[in-house]
Amino acid sequence: NGNAAEVVFEAFADYVYAYSGGLVNENASIRIKFTGAADTSVPPEDLFRFSPSVKGSARWAASDMVEFLPDAGALKPGRRYNVSFALSKVFEVGNPELREFKFSFTVARKKAEIFIDQVYISKNNISEAAVRGHVALSESVPADLMKNLFYAEGNTAGSRFSVEQKNGVWHFVCESLPRKGTDERLNVVFDAHSVGFGESISASVIISGTDLF
């Protein structure tokens, strides 16, 4: 429980100032910052043990900080990892119970949500509609990938998507949607699966028919 974790950390407080515990993202490095300078002559790759195992490399980021850098895709979303760090190899540890500094972390699951913000119809061309919306992501996705992750289901002949990022949020516009005589449902799909966010997600909206105006 939380109290037990606090007691464990207190025992190591003479050596460990901070570490990468709790929830981390899948691209995170695993760091331990010490209260003072450690013996950096020790090869850092000899200091970490992970369960389950994690492929990667280690380095001394500073005299008081060591860092493990997992290979791309090595950390699996939703999985918990236990770490054992050989503290006695870089500090003189009198208490044999403190020879190994043990902690754990969990890799956050990627989350994506899609929202429809507005449907609008141009006064200059009432035979077409456009839909604006945005996608909220727990982690960033490169722009060259984002532009190809949207598509629409419904009466979409001739429609086109454009995307742009503002203040860390991806906004999309689906334009040139043909309007029919009666109301019709449009489904906007974000292909989240292609970029590791689980299943694809969608949001639907009603495009009003031309019989209304």
Side-chain angles (χ1 to χ4, degrees):
N1 58 43
N3 290 335
E6 290 170 10
V7 171
V8 170
F9 183 73
E10 185 178 340
F12 287 92
D14 289 340
Y15 310 99
V16 177
Y17 178 75
Y19 62 98
S20 300
L23 199 64
V24 305
N25 69 51
E26 67 173 335
N27 299 313
S29 61
I30 306 305
R31 297 176 179 175
I32 303 176
K33 183 174 176 61
F34 305 110
T35 56
D39 183 359
T40 58
S41 67
V42 179
E45 57 269 18
D46 295 342
L47 301 174
F48 288 92
R49 286 190 293 113
F50 291 85
S51 177
S53 62
V54 179
K55 291 183 178 181
S57 59
R59 69 184 185 105
W60 287 103
S63 63
D64 63 349
M65 184 184 294
V66 67
E67 181 178 36
F68 184 86
L69 300 98
D71 289 348
L75 296 181
K76 306 303 180 184
R79 183 169 294 180
R80 177 187 173 94
Y81 293 86
N82 296 308
V83 187
S84 181
F85 179 82
L87 189 67
S88 63
K89 289 185 177 182
V90 295
F91 286 101
E92 290 186 8
V93 178
N95 186 342
E97 294 183 357
L98 304 183
R99 293 175 62 85
E100 297 275 331
F101 176 54
K102 298 180 180 181
F103 62 98
S104 64
F105 62 89
T106 300
V107 183
R109 295 185 184 277
K110 287 185 174 183
K111 293 183 180 179
E113 294 181 280
I114 187 170
F115 303 91
I116 301 294
D117 298 326
Q118 181 186 30
V119 179
Y120 64 97
I121 297 163
S122 172
K123 292 181 180 179
N124 298 325
N125 185 2
I126 62 172
S127 65
E128 293 181 349
V131 172
R132 296 181 186 271
H134 70 278
V135 169
L137 303 174
S138 60
E139 294 184 27
S140 62
V141 173
D144 59 334
L145 294 179
M146 283 296 293
K147 64 184 180 182
N148 298 316
L149 296 177
F150 293 91
Y151 63 92
E153 298 172 332
N155 184 29
T156 61
S159 64
R160 63 183 183 275
F161 272 95
S162 59
V163 298
E164 68 173 332
Q165 191 177 31
K166 294 180 181 178
N167 301 320
V169 177
W170 283 100
H171 297 263
F172 65 85
V173 180
C174 184
E175 300 177 284
S176 302
L177 291 163
R179 297 174 67 203
K180 289 190 173 182
T182 56
D183 293 355
E184 189 162 274
R185 182 177 298 276
L186 177 77
N187 202 35
V188 178
V189 182
F190 175 66
D191 185 11
H193 178 73
S194 293
V195 282
F197 283 82
E199 296 182 356
S200 295
I201 56 175
S202 63
S204 61
V205 67
I206 298 296
I207 305 298
S208 60
T210 55
D211 57 353
L212 292 180
F213 58 91

